[in-house]
């Protein structure tokens, strides 16, 4: 009886999604039951789970499902980022006193099982840190004063080689506060550092996502960004293209209308999804590429009634297969009642082998109350991994 009820619930969820939409061969719905028994979970690597409220960080061996705490009692580990090859991770390791004041704040480079590779003192002007490739970090250098110009440090933590970049591109948007593209300001460099996507326009608009050739100092192509300048462009793992989910200029009367596009290095633009053709109103939130560059996982909300200003929606997990053009909605929600543009939950996180997606899934009205759900996109299965532990990184097996 329980099995039948769960199956019916899955069908009901799918029916709710399909109501008010046109049926399309480019989208399908899979609503797997969330399993609590992990004995049949076939996953590999090391998953990093963080409880920011209690300053506890855990490492879960996905082969055995064993979990160990990796931070010391006086430590707070935060701002995790895993390298593109999933071999290394970087994070801040802060030593706290009894009043939770920072006594020490180091940048740590670690390998699988949190093996310490190197520890660097965080410098005064260092902002958010990301991996550029498997050897170099790119660090936003914080500037004080009236200027909103962007400067970056490219650092090889293994050799200490440094290179500074200045994002002084034509008509780059420089009004404070800058849109926050995950700490990059309004720039997204490719790993080769020969191309960058940046936001072009002044305070009154119009705005464009400009793909810029750094060596030739010329624009390759532009995508207009009407009304929404916070959408983050993401380079694929193979760095051949970037993906973006802009508001569609041709459908501004039906706002919100969003779809995924890819832009190749030569500027060729391809529409990847057609959600706006059959959802009356749809918004796409954070997106992430799979390590093999075949899939894009993303959050999206849809409405059957015309949203008013300030309308909220529930984010659900969509996975696009680039090869087939098929988008799958797994009926797995993230943030509930989210404002359009909200990024309280990070984009879906991929396993190193591109088989699994793991997400935060809100419980009830409080976005701080959540579960961590893993979705096997090959077997259409879902597993409960943890409660109130956020997935922040997934490394390969040693």
């Amino acid at each position: 009886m329980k099995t039948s009820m769960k199956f019916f619930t899955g069908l009901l969820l799918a029916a709710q999604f399909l109501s008010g939409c046109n049926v399309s061969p480019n989208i399908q719905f899979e609503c797997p039951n969330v399993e609590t028994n992990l004995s049949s979970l076939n996953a590999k690597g090391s998953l990093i789970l963080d409880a920011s409220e209690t300053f506890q960080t855990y490492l879960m061996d996905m082969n055995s499902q064993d979990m160990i705490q990796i931070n010391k009692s006086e430590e707070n580990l935060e701002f995790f980022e895993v390298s593109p090859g999933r071999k290394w991770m970087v994070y801040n390791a802060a030593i706290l006193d009894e009043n939770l004041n920072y006594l020490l704040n180091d940048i740590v480079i670690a390998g699988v099982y949190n093996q310490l590779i190197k520890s660097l003192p965080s410098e005064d002007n260092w902002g958010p840190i990301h991996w550029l490739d498997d050897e170099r970090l790119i660090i936003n250098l914080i500037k004080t004063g009236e200027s909103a110009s962007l400067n970056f440090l490219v650092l090889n933590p293994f050799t200490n080689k440094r290179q500074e970049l200045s994002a002084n591109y034509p008509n780059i948007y420089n009004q404070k506060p800058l849109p926050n593209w995950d700490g990059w300001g309004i720039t997204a460099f490719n790993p080769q550092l020969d191309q960058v996507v940046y936001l072009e326009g002044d305070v009154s608009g119009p705005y464009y996502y400009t793909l810029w050739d750094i060596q030739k100092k010329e624009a390759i192509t532009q995508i207009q960004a009407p009304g929404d300048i916070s959408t983050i462009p993401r380079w694929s793992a193979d760095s051949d293209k970037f993906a973006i989910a802009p508001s569609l200029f041709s459908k501004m009367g039906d706002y919100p209308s969003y779809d995924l596009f890819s832009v190749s290095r030569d500027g060729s633009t391809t529409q990847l999804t057609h959600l706006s053709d059959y959802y009356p109103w749809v918004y796409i939130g954070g997106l992430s590429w799979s390590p093999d560059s075949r899939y894009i996982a993303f959050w999206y909300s849809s409405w059957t009634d015309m949203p008013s200003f300030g309308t909220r929606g529930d984010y659900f997990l969509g996975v696009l297969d680039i090869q087939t053009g098929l988008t799958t909605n797994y009926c797995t929600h993230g943030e509930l009642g989210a404002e359009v543009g909200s990024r309280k939950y990070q984009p879906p996180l991929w396993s190193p082998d591109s088989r699994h997606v793991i997400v935060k899934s809100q419980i009830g009205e409080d976005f701080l109350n959540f579960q961590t759900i893993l979705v096997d996109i090959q077997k259409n299965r879902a597993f409960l991994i943890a409660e109130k532990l956020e997935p922040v990184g997934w490394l390969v097996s040693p």
Side-chain angles (χ1 to χ4, degrees):
M1 182 64 181
K2 287 184 178 179
T3 302
S4 299
M5 284 300 295
K6 288 181 179 179
F7 178 67
F8 175 76
T9 302
L11 290 178
L12 181 60
L13 278 170
Q16 289 174 341
F17 281 115
L18 289 169
S19 62
C21 323
N22 298 318
V23 177
S24 168
N26 295 321
I27 188 168
Q28 67 178 4
F29 294 84
E30 297 286 350
C31 301
N33 301 325
V34 178
E35 304 173 40
T36 57
N37 186 340
L38 303 184
S39 61
S40 61
L41 173 61
N42 183 18
K44 299 178 180 179
S46 299
L47 180 66
I48 309 300
L49 297 160
D50 187 57
S52 57
E53 290 185 306
T54 58
F55 304 118
Q56 293 173 314
T57 305
Y58 297 88
L59 185 149
M60 183 175 183
D61 186 323
M62 298 304 289
N63 299 276
S64 64
Q65 288 99 49
D66 293 335
M67 192 156 58
I68 60 171
Q69 187 170 343
I70 61 174
N71 68 301
K72 300 174 183 176
S73 58
E74 70 279 9
E75 272 188 328
N76 177 29
L77 310 185
E78 56 186 353
F79 305 125
F80 292 84
E81 175 103 358
V82 172
S83 66
R86 276 38 178 195
K87 294 171 56 179
W88 320 110
M89 61 178 170
V90 60
Y91 57 82
N92 286 56
I95 303 296
L96 308 176
D97 64 17
E98 58 184 11
N99 296 317
L100 302 183
N101 296 313
Y102 282 43
L103 301 177
L104 183 68
N105 191 17
D106 283 345
I107 306 302
V108 174
I109 310 296
V112 178
Y113 297 133
N114 198 38
Q115 177 189 7
L116 178 64
I117 305 299
K118 195 162 189 178
S119 181
L120 305 168
S122 179
E123 299 182 15
D124 291 340
N125 64 338
W126 283 11
I129 300 176
H130 297 278
W131 287 99
L132 190 60
D133 51 29
D134 283 321
E135 296 182 348
R136 296 174 297 169
L137 301 169
I138 183 166
I139 304 170
N140 193 342
L141 298 179
I142 299 173
K143 295 188 69 176
T144 58
E146 295 299 320
S147 174
S149 61
L150 292 167
N151 290 277
F152 298 90
L153 172 67
V154 177
L155 171 67
N156 185 322
F158 307 103
T159 64
N160 292 323
K161 183 178 179 180
R162 295 183 174 216
Q163 174 189 358
E164 286 205 18
L165 298 175
S166 177
N168 185 24
Y169 305 119
N171 200 28
I172 188 170
Y173 184 86
N174 65 357
Q175 302 298 315
K176 289 187 176 182
L178 291 174
N180 181 15
W181 292 0
D182 281 359
W184 297 74
I186 38 74
T187 57
F189 293 91
N190 70 346
Q192 293 88 347
L193 291 179
D194 59 359
Q195 292 186 343
V196 63
V197 187
Y198 75 92
L199 181 64
E200 182 176 344
D202 55 32
V203 67
S204 59
Y207 307 108
Y208 300 92
Y209 291 94
T210 297
L211 177 61
W212 182 257
D213 188 309
I214 296 176
Q215 296 174 342
K216 296 181 179 179
K217 297 182 179 181
E218 63 183 22
I220 300 172
T221 193
Q222 292 182 313
I223 297 176
Q224 191 163 4
D228 184 357
I229 59 176
S230 62
T231 300
I232 302 176
R234 304 280 189 185
W235 286 94
S236 60
D238 58 19
S239 71
D240 284 343
K241 51 194 169 294
F242 69 89
I244 194 168
S247 176
L248 301 182
F249 180 80
S250 61
K251 297 195 174 185
M252 281 302 289
D254 295 328
Y255 179 85
S257 295
Y258 287 71
D259 266 306
L260 285 173
F261 291 76
S262 68
V263 182
S264 63
R265 287 177 53 88
D266 65 3
S268 301
T269 302
T270 303
Q271 184 169 347
L272 301 176
T273 62
H274 296 271
L275 301 179
S276 61
D277 287 346
Y278 51 90
Y279 282 118
W281 294 274
V282 61
Y283 174 77
I284 294 179
L287 63 93
S288 60
W289 286 88
S290 62
D292 63 3
S293 297
R294 174 172 174 173
Y295 303 97
I296 298 176
F298 59 97
W299 294 121
Y300 78 97
S301 299
S302 63
W303 298 265
T304 55
D305 296 324
M306 183 175 182
S308 59
F309 182 78
T311 294
R312 295 172 177 265
D314 299 337
Y315 281 157
F316 282 86
L317 172 65
V319 176
L320 168 70
D321 185 334
I322 300 290
Q323 292 184 7
T324 65
L326 180 65
T327 295
T328 303
N329 183 314
Y330 286 97
C331 305
T332 301
H333 67 260
E335 187 182 350
L336 298 175
E339 298 178 20
V340 170
S342 173
R343 291 195 179 87
K344 292 177 181 176
Y345 285 8
Q346 292 298 310
L349 181 71
W350 283 95
S351 63
D353 60 7
S354 302
R355 290 183 52 184
H356 304 100
V357 180
I358 193 164
V359 298
K360 291 172 64 173
S361 181
Q362 184 174 332
I363 302 172
E365 296 182 358
D366 185 357
F367 73 91
L368 294 175
N369 189 15
F370 62 89
Q371 297 176 326
T372 291
I373 304 295
L374 179 148
V375 177
D376 186 326
I377 66 170
Q378 292 189 354
K379 297 183 177 180
N380 293 326
R381 299 178 68 182
F383 297 87
L384 174 62
I385 299 299
E387 304 268 1
K388 282 195 162 184
L389 290 175
E390 179 181 4
V392 293
W394 197 332
L395 288 84
V396 296
S397 299

